[in-house]
Amino acid sequence: MTITLITGANKGLGYETARRLISAGHDVWIGARDVRRGHTAAEELGAHFVQLDVTDDRSVAAAVETVHAEAGRVDVLVNNAGILGTRKPAAETSADDVREAFETNVFGVVRVTHAFLPLLQTSDTPQVINVTSGLGSFTLITETEWGRFGTLSYSSSKAALTMLTVQYARAIPGIRFNAVDPGYTGTDFNGHRGPQTVQEGTDRIVRLALLGPDAPTGTLSDRNGTVPW
């Protein structure tokens, strides 16, 4: 059975990804910062719960120990936890504002990926899926209407996350690393303004997670195919 860990999975895209992968036969671990909400989500879905705050070294280390003791490995890691951060005009955005977004969206992914590498390397078909955003695409921001939605802190953090994905893929060929843009999906993240359903937003994440050894590596895509860098 494929063992999958999803960060930030107590609601939204993470929750829907967990639901769909459980239905497909995965043994899913829901990682969530809030213990009560995480336990509730896991009970609703028939998943395991592990407390995991991607911004805290001790929390991540404890999560590794828990998953190692109970599961022994991780086959698929979905780095889904992310924040919008402070939305301000660029001229009013401070270093602290940018740091807030990077702490979760970039450093959190590095922290979790680094900590779980030994468990991923135990798998026969390890895969890491990083949930990024089209708002981090240089092409979409500079050449399409998406440019009016980008923010200095969020967009730059997601651009950095996509580059991290490529660098991991090049440096660690034994693990497949891919970045996925869910698209503009209606969740708490955007006040449910996105036109896509959570099922549509998780289509590509789920498809990659189910590909096993046939999954590509070093790609950026959404449910419709390749996303320009």
Side-chain angles (χ1 to χ4, degrees):
M1 182 178 288
T2 301
I3 299 171
T4 299
L5 169 66
I6 307 169
T7 66
N10 61 284
K11 63 179 181 178
L13 292 168
Y15 185 96
E16 178 66 6
T17 299
R19 184 193 69 79
R20 293 181 67 180
L21 290 179
I22 289 168
S23 295
H26 282 216
D27 188 22
V28 172
W29 284 79
I30 284 180
R33 182 172 51 185
D34 187 290
V35 174
R36 181 182 61 81
R37 291 177 181 176
H39 270 301
T40 298
E43 289 174 1
E44 291 171 352
L45 293 171
H48 309 279
F49 167 69
V50 61
Q51 196 279 335
L52 200 165
D53 179 349
V54 303
T55 68
D56 184 272
D57 288 325
R58 287 185 294 181
S59 173
V60 174
V64 171
E65 290 183 9
T66 298
V67 176
H68 179 259
E70 298 189 29
R73 71 178 194 278
V74 171
D75 299 301
V76 180
L77 169 62
V78 181
N79 283 309
N80 169 74
I83 64 169
L84 184 59
T86 303
R87 298 192 66 182
K88 293 180 181 178
E92 299 174 16
T93 300
S94 69
D96 285 339
D97 293 329
V98 175
R99 186 179 295 110
E100 178 190 23
F102 269 66
E103 187 59 53
T104 296
N105 299 348
V106 181
F107 305 145
V109 171
V110 174
R111 182 176 288 110
V112 171
T113 302
H114 176 74
F116 277 94
L117 272 178
L119 294 189
L120 285 160
Q121 289 167 334
T122 302
S123 170
D124 292 331
T125 56
Q127 181 177 180
V128 177
I129 300 170
N130 292 328
V131 180
T132 186
S133 171
L135 293 178
S137 161
F138 287 87
T139 301
L140 295 182
I141 287 293
T142 59
E143 298 182 10
T144 76
E145 72 279 3
W146 282 100
R148 62 193 177 95
F149 296 112
T151 66
L152 193 119
S153 57
Y154 181 74
S155 292
S156 60
S157 73
K158 289 302 186 179
L161 174 57
T162 302
M163 178 56 76
L164 278 176
T165 305
V166 174
Q167 292 299 320
Y168 274 127
R170 288 168 60 87
I172 312 176
I175 300 176
R176 290 170 309 288
F177 288 87
N178 294 288
V180 172
D181 171 20
Y184 196 14
T185 303
T187 65
D188 288 350
F189 193 82
N190 54 43
H192 294 273
R193 291 188 297 271
Q196 285 190 159
T197 66
V198 287
Q199 179 166 348
E200 291 171 326
T202 57
D203 277 348
R204 184 58 178 166
I205 302 170
V206 170
R207 175 167 172 72
L208 280 173
L210 295 179
L211 282 177
D214 296 324
T217 192
T219 68
L220 170 59
S221 60
D222 63 12
R223 66 191 299 263
N224 298 310
T226 300
V227 175
W229 300 106

